[in-house]
């Protein structure tokens, strides 16, 4: 990944600049990568407090990741599209996307290794093919890169905000207006470090939403991501007073028993890395989600 400095970023500290430029990165992580030499300016190692100059070229190298033993597993993944470059998979709620501490098996990656012949290696051995993520208890569609060229192209589309990512969510409360935009920066919760929150010094985060259906105590919405911050839709909806039903972290107590938040990545659209054709895919709501909607609609009638 290369970043050329233009006039809008001159004299900014490199660690602060890259924290905003690189998805899901913290300032501490960026500082460590600078010290390790995984990030250089004009092919020279610089300190985290280096202030970038006009036309500086920042090169961000992928970290060497310790080899881990990730076994392919037959998880019968729902691959809704596949060609030689990309795949689109419909992840069930409750499945972790990639191996991490405490989750070395039964992840989406384990299943992808079993079902797909090739995966990109840009994100290392524990995240092969993974271009973007959704939370464990969020269901829905993910793009998967089958080679490094496709991975870079899809990552650029995410950065340029040309990937169409649409979610469906059931939230507490009745939203009175038909559409809205939440533009509020997201970062680590200062008091609860395992959670995200809207904070003044967070990364830019923008979520658009449309009301699909209103009920007595709930609203069904479509949420459209402009950015892709950790827990973005969950944090933003809680921030405006309409948390997602079933969310164990940001939600309220609910009369419905769920295995997680009622949030589904229903649609993903992108430009094919090779053919340049615009592709769009959609998936049905999970059975549990539909069942709860049917109960609410029955009560409404």
């Amino acid at each position: 990944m290369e970043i050329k400095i233009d006039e809008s970023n001159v004299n900014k500290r490199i660690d602060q600049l890259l924290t905003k430029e690189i998805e899901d990165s913290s300032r501490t992580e960026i500082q460590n990568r600078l010290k390790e030499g995984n990030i250089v300016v004009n092919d020279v190692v610089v300190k985290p407090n280096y202030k970038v100059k006009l036309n500086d070229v920042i090169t961000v190298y992928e970290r060497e990741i310790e080899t881990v033993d990730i076994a392919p597993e037959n998880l019968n993944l729902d691959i809704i599209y596949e060609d030689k470059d990309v795949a689109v998979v419909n992840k069930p709620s409750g499945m972790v996307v990639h191996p991490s501490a405490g989750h070395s098996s039964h992840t989406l990656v384990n299943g992808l290794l079993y079902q797909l012949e090739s995966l990109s290696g840009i994100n290392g051995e524990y995240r092969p093919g993974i271009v973007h993520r959704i939370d464990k208890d969020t269901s829905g569609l993910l793009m998967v890169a089958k080679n490094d060229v496709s991975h870079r192209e899809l990552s650029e589309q995410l950065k340029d905000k040309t990937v169409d990512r649409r979610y469906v969510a059931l939230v507490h409360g009745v939203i009175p207006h038909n559409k809205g935009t939440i533009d509020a920066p997201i970062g680590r919760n200062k008091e609860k470090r395992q959670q995200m929150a809207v904070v003044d010094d967070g990364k830019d985060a923008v979520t658009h939403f449309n009301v699909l259906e209103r009920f007595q105590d709930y609203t069904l919405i479509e949420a459209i991501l402009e950015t892709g911050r950790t827990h973005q839709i969950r944090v933003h909806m809680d921030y405006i007073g309409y948390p997602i039903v079933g969310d164990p972290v940001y939600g309220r107590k609910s009369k419905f028993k769920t295995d997680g938040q009622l949030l589904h990545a229903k649609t993903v659209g992108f430009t094919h890395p090779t053919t340049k054709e615009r592709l769009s895919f959609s998936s049905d709501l999970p059975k549990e989600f539909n069942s709860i909607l049917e109960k609410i609609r029955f009560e409404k009638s």
Side-chain angles (χ1 to χ4, degrees):
M1 174 182 179
E2 285 191 350
I3 301 171
K4 188 172 183 179
I5 299 303
D6 57 23
E7 293 181 355
S8 65
N9 287 316
V10 169
N11 289 327
K12 290 183 179 179
R13 281 180 57 125
I14 190 170
D15 56 351
Q16 295 174 339
L17 172 66
L18 291 181
T19 300
K20 294 184 178 296
E21 287 288 331
I22 301 176
E23 291 281 350
D24 294 334
S25 64
S26 66
R27 189 171 172 185
T28 299
E29 180 186 357
I30 294 298
Q31 290 173 343
N32 288 337
R33 295 182 69 176
L34 285 161
K35 293 173 184 176
E36 293 167 358
N38 285 314
I39 299 174
V40 295
V41 179
N42 306 323
D43 295 323
V44 177
V45 176
V46 298
K47 295 181 178 180
N49 64 355
Y50 173 79
K51 293 186 177 180
V52 297
K53 301 177 179 63
L54 184 64
N55 295 325
D56 271 352
V57 176
I58 303 172
T59 304
V60 181
Y61 294 105
E62 294 300 326
R63 269 176 149 167
E64 291 296 327
I65 300 175
E66 183 180 351
T67 302
V68 290
D69 184 18
I70 306 174
E73 296 179 63
N74 184 4
L75 302 178
N76 195 29
L77 297 178
D78 182 15
I79 308 290
I80 70 168
Y81 176 82
E82 181 187 1
D83 60 31
K84 66 181 181 62
D85 296 307
V86 299
V88 177
V89 59
N90 188 22
K91 185 189 83 69
S93 176
M95 178 179 284
V96 175
V97 170
H98 60 75
S100 60
H103 297 285
S104 60
S105 62
H106 306 303
T107 72
L108 186 73
V109 162
N110 294 101
L112 291 173
L113 288 170
Y114 183 89
Q115 288 184 235
L116 302 186
E117 291 184 1
S118 62
L119 291 169
S120 68
I122 283 181
N123 276 340
E125 294 186 53
Y126 81 115
R127 287 194 295 173
I130 302 303
V131 182
H132 61 127
R133 294 171 290 179
I134 56 179
D135 300 332
K136 172 189 173 185
D137 293 325
T138 296
S139 57
L141 301 182
L142 284 166
M143 302 181 296
V144 176
K146 297 183 67 177
N147 54 62
D148 290 359
V149 173
S150 296
H151 194 130
R152 292 189 185 96
E153 174 63 26
L154 293 175
S155 294
E156 282 298 313
Q157 291 183 41
L158 284 168
K159 182 180 177 182
D160 294 341
K161 302 177 183 177
T162 58
V163 176
D164 184 21
R165 289 174 289 172
R166 296 172 183 261
Y167 292 67
V168 172
L170 183 68
V171 302
H172 289 278
V174 182
I175 301 176
H177 34 284
N178 291 331
K179 61 177 59 178
T181 294
I182 309 163
D183 186 349
I186 291 176
R188 288 287 168 189
N189 188 313
K190 298 294 190 293
E191 298 177 355
K192 300 176 181 178
R193 298 298 295 174
Q194 298 301 312
Q195 297 182 21
M196 308 303 289
V198 171
V199 292
D200 290 339
D201 59 349
K203 296 181 182 180
D204 292 341
V206 180
T207 304
H208 308 282
F209 68 86
N210 301 309
V211 169
L212 300 176
E213 193 171 355
R214 292 184 180 90
F215 307 103
Q216 183 174 342
D217 299 308
Y218 306 95
T219 306
L220 186 68
I221 66 166
E222 175 189 57
I224 305 166
L225 286 180
E226 184 172 317
T227 54
R229 306 307 177 197
T230 301
H231 299 175
Q232 179 173 315
I233 298 173
R234 299 164 64 190
V235 170
H236 270 171
M237 296 312 299
D238 178 49
Y239 178 67
I240 65 170
Y242 302 97
I244 296 175
V245 174
D247 192 327
V249 178
Y250 308 102
R252 303 174 185 169
K253 287 186 177 180
S254 171
K255 64 180 180 180
F256 301 110
K257 292 183 179 180
T258 67
D259 293 326
Q261 56 273 0
L262 294 184
L263 177 63
H264 178 69
K266 183 174 178 59
T267 301
V268 64
F270 57 92
T271 300
H272 192 280
T274 302
T275 68
K276 305 306 177 184
E277 177 187 2
R278 189 68 186 177
L279 302 177
S280 183
F281 304 93
S282 188
S283 60
D284 294 334
L285 294 179
K287 183 177 179 180
E288 178 190 53
F289 200 146
N290 267 325
S291 177
I292 289 174
L293 286 179
E294 289 173 3
K295 290 178 182 177
I296 296 174
R297 290 179 181 126
F298 178 79
E299 292 173 355
K300 181 180 179 181
S301 62

